[in-house]
């Protein structure tokens, strides 16, 4: 039995609601969400999740991780670009997402709740769509703003959420596309931008459940509604984009948790976690510090002086964090990872490396890096930056820096390097 669709009555009486307005917001999301999805998947790949359980413990990623590939080290700024886009675009789309949700809110409360099988499927996709969308944006923002509210599991939550949300978006687009195209053709965008509040009339009822049956007097034009959402996005852009774009915009990045004022001097760039917060004790990075290099069944121990006596190289590279902030290029100086591999006998084609920090608590104590990352001549165990020794907060006495790798791979306060993939397995 099928009930005819009804126009919206009850509390939702805005005369602006209608298929046209919803489709305009929907079109913006239709462009933005795929970019978020792709850059998000790229970020996950860049994390080398398939390399070691230390990097990532997402269960079942084998299926959803079908696309994982060896993240390149060229161009060195790629991750800074893709992740800056991911986080900035995600934040900028929030007002559009909220406007879109506002525009369809009567649909979430239609009666009867289910009219037919098709309707039931559509409502289920709506649940995943709205729930999935809110979940992805919320976990994303929390991760950006509060660091690690979900210790260790942000990747898992955000990764699964992305697949659910994207599936729901795809279903929604497939179901709604013809209607949305019709709606977009029903009014002229430029004419709407010239229509004042006084001349704003409701869209004709189309049985789609958006247009109010008894619309209230307009208090705002469609131009005003679009402008409000657009202005919201613009303000968010100005308040956050500087954390990844850098330059003069950095000073307006008031909403960005990192990187507005990082002091000056050689070590004057953002600090994700200070030595104190990471529970790095002064004695761990003092005179007794030793670097242990393992691999091929051999072990070599170096003092800081011995490490610094090895062939030194410089590389100008940024740190680009998964949270979207990044530094401009810093001039790192230190020893090539591939030269350290050679110390334990990996003279040609060194394997990946397992990196451990002196850090006693918290995440990012250890990461695994791929062979292509070890082999890049710009990949360093750096002891200096911009001509000065690393500050304690930037990882003194030594930290990893790898071109195009997410910031989380650039382990600070390094204690031990283990070359050779089999060691990953033993430790995982
Ligand atoms: N040992 C250790 N290394 C670490 C971290 C950490 O918490 N502990 N944070 C990582 C993350 S998430 C980032 S983005 C970079 C930040 O480096 P910075 O604080 O020097 O800017 O360091 C990485 N190296
Ligand atoms: Mo990070």
């Amino acid at each position: 039995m099928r009930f005819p669709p009804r126009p919206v009555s009850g509390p939702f009486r805005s005369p602006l609601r209608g298929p046209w307005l919803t489709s305009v917001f929907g079109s913006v999301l239709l462009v933005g969400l795929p970019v978020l999805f792709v850059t998000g998947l790229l970020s996950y790949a860049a994390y080398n999740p398939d390399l070691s359980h230390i990097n990532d413990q997402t269960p079942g990623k084998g299926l959803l991780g079908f696309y994982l590939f060896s993240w390149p080290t060229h161009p060195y700024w790629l991750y800074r670009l893709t992740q800056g886009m991911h986080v900035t675009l995600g934040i900028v789309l929030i007002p559009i997402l909220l406007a879109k949700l506002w525009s369809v809110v009567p649909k979430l409360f239609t009666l009867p709740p289910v009219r037919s099988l098709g309707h039931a499927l559509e409502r289920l996709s709506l649940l995943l769509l709205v729930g999935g969308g809110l979940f992805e944006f919320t976990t994303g923002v929390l991760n950006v703003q509060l660091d690690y509210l979900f210790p260790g599991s942000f990747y898992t939550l955000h990764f699964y959420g992305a697949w659910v949300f994207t599936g729901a978006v795809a279903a929604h687009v497939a179901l709604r596309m013809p209607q949305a195209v019709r709606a977009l053709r029903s009014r002229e965008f430029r004419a709407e931008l010239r229509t004042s509040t006084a001349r704003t009339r409701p869209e004709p009822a189309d049985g789609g459940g958006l247009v109010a049956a008894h619309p209230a007097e307009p208090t705002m034009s469609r131009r005003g509604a679009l402008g409000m959402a657009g202005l919201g996005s613009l303000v968010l852009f100005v308040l956050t984009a500087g954390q990844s774009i850098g330059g003069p915009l950095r000073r307006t990045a008031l909403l960005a948790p990192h990187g507005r004022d990082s002091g000056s001097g050689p070590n004057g760039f953002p600090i994700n976690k200070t030595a104190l917060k990471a529970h790095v004790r002064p004695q761990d990075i003092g005179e007794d510090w030793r670097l242990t290099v393992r691999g091929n069944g051999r072990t070599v121990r170096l003092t800081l002086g011995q490490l610094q006596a090895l062939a030194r190289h410089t590389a100008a590279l940024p740190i680009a964090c998964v949270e979207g902030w990044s530094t401009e290029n810093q001039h790192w100086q230190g020893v090539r990872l591939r030269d350290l591999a050679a110390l334990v006998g990996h003279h040609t084609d060194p394997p990946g490396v397992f990196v451990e920090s002196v850090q006693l608590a918290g995440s990012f104590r250890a990461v695994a890096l791929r062979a292509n990352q070890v082999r890049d001549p710009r990949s360093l165990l750096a002891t200096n930056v911009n001509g000065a020794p690393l500050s304690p907060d930037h990882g003194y006495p030594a930290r990893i820096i790898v071109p195009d790798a997410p910031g989380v791979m650039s382990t600070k306060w390094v204690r031990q390097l283990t070359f050779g993939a089999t060691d990953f397995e033993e430790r995982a």
Side-chain angles (χ1 to χ4, degrees), residues 148 272 320-323 325 364 407-408:
Y148 316 106
N272 182 49
C321 178
V322 64
E323 293 156 23
W325 64 269
F364 311 135
V408 52

Side-chain angles (χ1 to χ4, degrees), residues 270-272 321 325 357 359 364 394 399 407-408 410-413:
I271 293 163
N272 182 49
C321 178
W325 64 269
S357 137
Q359 191 180 340
F364 311 135
H394 277 307
R399 81 175 298 170
V408 52
S410 52
T411 306
K412 306 194 271 193
W413 315 292

Side-chain angles (χ1 to χ4, degrees), residues 53-400:
H53 295 287
I54 300 292
N55 287 17
D56 178 51
Q57 300 191 352
T58 302
K61 66 166 176 269
L63 198 61
L64 294 180
F66 66 90
Y67 74 94
L68 294 176
F69 57 98
S70 200
W71 185 250
T73 57
H74 297 270
Y76 72 86
W77 43 258
L78 182 64
Y79 187 75
R80 187 177 173 200
L81 177 74
T82 61
Q83 195 57 8
M85 274 173 66
H86 184 75
V87 171
T88 306
L89 183 62
I91 289 172
V92 162
L93 283 181
I94 289 174
I96 312 296
L97 182 81
L98 294 180
K100 171 78 161 57
L101 284 177
W102 170 84
S103 80
V104 298
V105 85
K107 306 264 309 180
L108 308 180
F109 301 98
T110 50
L111 286 172
V114 170
R115 290 194 302 264
S116 64
L117 182 63
H119 190 226
L121 285 176
E122 196 209 315
R123 289 188 63 86
L124 180 69
S125 89
L126 223 63
L127 188 75
L128 295 176
L129 190 69
V130 175
L134 290 176
F135 181 81
E136 283 305 278
F137 279 81
T138 310
T139 49
V141 168
L142 285 177
N143 188 59
V144 169
Q145 286 295 330
L146 301 178
D147 284 11
Y148 316 106
L149 193 68
F150 314 96
S153 61
F154 165 76
Y155 285 89
T156 311
L157 294 173
H158 204 64
F159 179 68
Y160 280 140
W163 281 100
V164 171
F165 180 47
T166 302
V169 170
H172 185 70
V173 170
L175 285 165
R176 283 287 179 226
M177 190 54 107
Q179 229 176 316
V181 170
R182 242 182 296 130
L184 287 172
R185 291 207 177 123
S186 72
R187 307 178 90 80
E188 213 209 315
F189 191 80
R190 276 203 257 137
E192 283 309 321
L193 293 187
R194 287 194 298 267
T195 305
S196 65
T197 306
R199 286 177 30 238
T200 297
R201 303 278 173 276
E203 293 183 45
D206 75 332
L210 295 175
V211 180
H214 308 288
E217 282 301 303
T219 53
M220 183 191 273
S221 60
R222 288 187 186 83
R223 165 180 70 191
L226 295 173
M228 212 165 85
L231 190 68
S233 291
L234 184 70
V235 168
L236 285 176
F237 180 83
V238 170
L239 290 183
T240 55
Q243 66 171 342
S244 44
I245 298 174
L249 269 182
R250 207 175 275 283
R251 271 178 287 126
T252 66
L254 299 170
L255 275 185
H258 295 287
R260 218 160 17 102
D261 180 16
S262 316
S264 54
N267 279 276
F269 56 95
I271 293 163
N272 182 49
K273 204 173 276 175
T274 60
L276 195 69
K277 261 213 225 152
H279 299 272
V280 171
R281 303 170 306 180
Q283 65 263 36
D284 296 329
I285 55 174
E287 273 173 20
D288 293 338
W289 178 86
R290 296 288 178 274
L291 175 72
T292 306
V293 185
R294 296 172 58 217
N296 265 339
R298 302 191 211 171
T299 302
V300 175
R301 271 203 185 80
L302 302 172
T303 64
L304 181 55
Q306 289 168 325
L307 175 66
Q308 284 168 327
L310 299 174
R312 298 179 69 69
H313 297 272
T314 51
L317 298 170
I319 287 189
C321 178
V322 64
E323 293 156 23
W325 64 269
S326 49
T327 71
E328 278 80 14
N329 286 353
Q330 309 296 329
H331 293 263
W332 306 93
Q333 193 180 39
V335 178
R336 284 180 174 155
L337 293 186
R338 66 182 194 194
D339 289 349
L340 291 166
L343 276 189
V344 288
H346 290 292
H347 292 285
T348 51
D349 301 337
V353 68
F354 182 72
V355 182
E356 289 164 275
S357 137
V358 303
Q359 191 180 340
L360 295 175
S363 29
F364 311 135
R365 289 193 306 269
V367 295
L369 298 172
R370 284 185 189 284
N372 67 323
Q373 295 175 314
V374 169
R375 290 170 194 180
D376 192 296
R378 298 163 297 175
S379 297
L380 303 176
L381 181 66
T383 57
N384 292 58
V385 65
N386 303 319
L390 292 170
S391 69
D393 286 337
H394 277 307
Y396 177 91
R399 81 175 298 170
I400 297 287

Side-chain angles (χ1 to χ4, degrees), residues 8-60:
V8 180
S9 48
F12 305 112
R13 295 185 56 205
S14 168
L16 298 188
R17 281 204 188 87
W20 183 83
L21 189 68
T22 293
S23 302
V24 171
F25 290 133
S27 309
V28 179
L29 293 176
L30 186 61
V31 174
L33 292 180
V35 177
L36 280 187
F37 185 56
V38 170
T39 51
L41 290 188
L42 289 180
S43 179
Y44 189 61
Y47 190 39
N48 292 342
D50 51 343
L51 193 56
S52 158
H53 295 287
I54 300 292
N55 287 17
D56 178 51
Q57 300 191 352
T58 302

